[in-house]
Amino acid sequence: MTPRAPVPARIVKLDVVDSTNAEAARLVADPATPVPVWIMARRQTAGRGRHGRAWASPEGNLYATLLDRPAMAPAAAAQLSFAACLAVADLLASLAPSARVGLKWPNDALLNGRKAAGVLLESSGRAGRLDWLAIGIGVNLENVPARESVIDPRVAPCSVTGEGGRRVTPDEALAMLADRLAYWKALHAAEGFGPLRTAWLGRAAGLGTRIEARLSDRVLSGTYEDVDATGALVLRTPQGARRIAAADLHFPD
Ligand code: BTN
């Protein structure tokens, strides 16, 4: 089934901000803020990644957040991180057609095995209801952050242009990204997580190989077998299949 035509979101363009996700949280505190809205900034002074880590945000890369008040349960909203990753993968594939695009569970996008982009979902809600959702996306279009400043120094960072891709402005990149995210969100709304999971697995980096999953309190080793119907990673260990909802993956050389 072809998803419905997406509702275009308006775009708020900022020169500099602490974090587009933080700005989204401030904007949504005003019930009159119309959504959906993209917030993009040329530069962030306190860009953030998963687990409260910093996201280096020099000028020239894309920093953008889609803010919405989706009428969906938190578990379904969490699946939109897969929609965002697929949209980023489409963007990267279009900009760097000769590079290998991969998705590293849960929310990294790779070019030739190096990290080119990350996705950070933040939300608020109560009693199983979502009030708002912010989908923050950072794409290294032309600047590669210093390795010490990246979220996981074991994963080498890269940029689109550094991997042989086309140079575009953040505005151009956002137009392409917004279009692809609208597509994947509409598909999710029409058909659920199934087609997104299939598309995501088609781009999954490290699937079928031995990996380490670093949880908050331990490290599990095993074979990366699948991503299940809830979005959890399935790791085959000597003790059996483990379903992992949150972890950092490490691919041993
Ligand atoms: C990660 O890899 O851990 C996710 C990084 C997400 C970075 C983006 S940049 C735009 C938005 N604003 C932020 O402060 N973070 C996200």
Side-chain angles (χ1 to χ4, degrees):
M1 183 171 137
T2 308
R4 278 175 289 121
V7 179
R10 77 193 166 92
I11 303 178
V12 172
K13 293 183 184 176
L14 304 170
D15 188 38
V16 59
V17 72
D18 50 357
S19 147
T20 54
N21 272 30
E23 180 67 9
R26 288 188 289 268
L27 285 178
V28 83
D30 177 354
T33 297
V35 293
V37 57
W38 278 101
I39 301 141
M40 79 173 286
R42 211 161 47 82
R43 198 160 57 81
Q44 299 184 121
T45 55
R48 58 199 193 208
R50 292 171 64 222
H51 308 308
R53 295 161 178 158
W55 181 259
S57 305
E59 200 174 324
N61 293 340
L62 175 64
Y63 313 108
T65 298
L66 178 62
L67 171 65
D68 203 355
R69 294 192 181 92
M72 56 172 67
Q79 294 169 352
L80 293 182
S81 123
F82 290 82
C85 287
L86 285 164
V88 171
D90 289 344
L91 171 68
L92 296 177
S94 150
L95 294 178
S98 57
R100 186 165 36 91
V101 177
L103 292 176
K104 180 163 175 271
W105 187 92
N107 65 356
D108 291 348
L110 311 179
L111 278 177
N112 297 326
R114 293 188 279 269
K115 179 161 173 168
V119 170
L120 177 66
L121 255 64
E122 295 180 315
S123 62
S124 175
R126 65 203 112 94
R129 272 188 56 86
L130 197 68
D131 287 337
W132 56 267
L133 175 72
I135 304 176
I137 301 174
V139 183
N140 299 339
L141 295 175
E142 60 180 48
N143 289 306
V144 186
R147 194 159 175 152
E148 321 73 74
S149 71
V150 299
I151 292 201
D152 180 352
R154 289 178 308 251
V155 183
C158 73
S159 70
V160 171
T161 53
E163 298 305 308
R166 186 155 59 89
R167 170 165 279 116
V168 288
T169 64
D171 289 49
E172 289 166 322
L174 179 60
M176 296 163 79
L177 181 71
D179 188 56
R180 294 314 296 158
L181 182 51
Y183 169 83
W184 289 110
K185 282 181 64 199
L187 186 60
H188 182 258
E191 298 184 31
F193 184 50
L196 277 70
R197 173 175 170 263
T198 304
W200 201 97
L201 284 169
R203 292 207 185 264
L207 188 66
T209 68
R210 286 198 63 76
I211 62 163
E212 282 176 359
R214 296 169 186 266
L215 284 68
S216 54
D217 56 344
R218 74 210 124 118
V219 178
L220 295 175
S221 298
T223 302
Y224 176 5
E225 205 167 71
D226 202 359
V227 170
D228 75 9
T230 68
L233 182 137
V234 182
L235 187 72
R236 173 69 49 186
T237 72
Q239 289 75 41
R242 305 285 301 258
R243 286 186 156 63
I244 297 173
D248 281 331
L249 300 193
H250 179 52
F251 304 145
D253 298 324

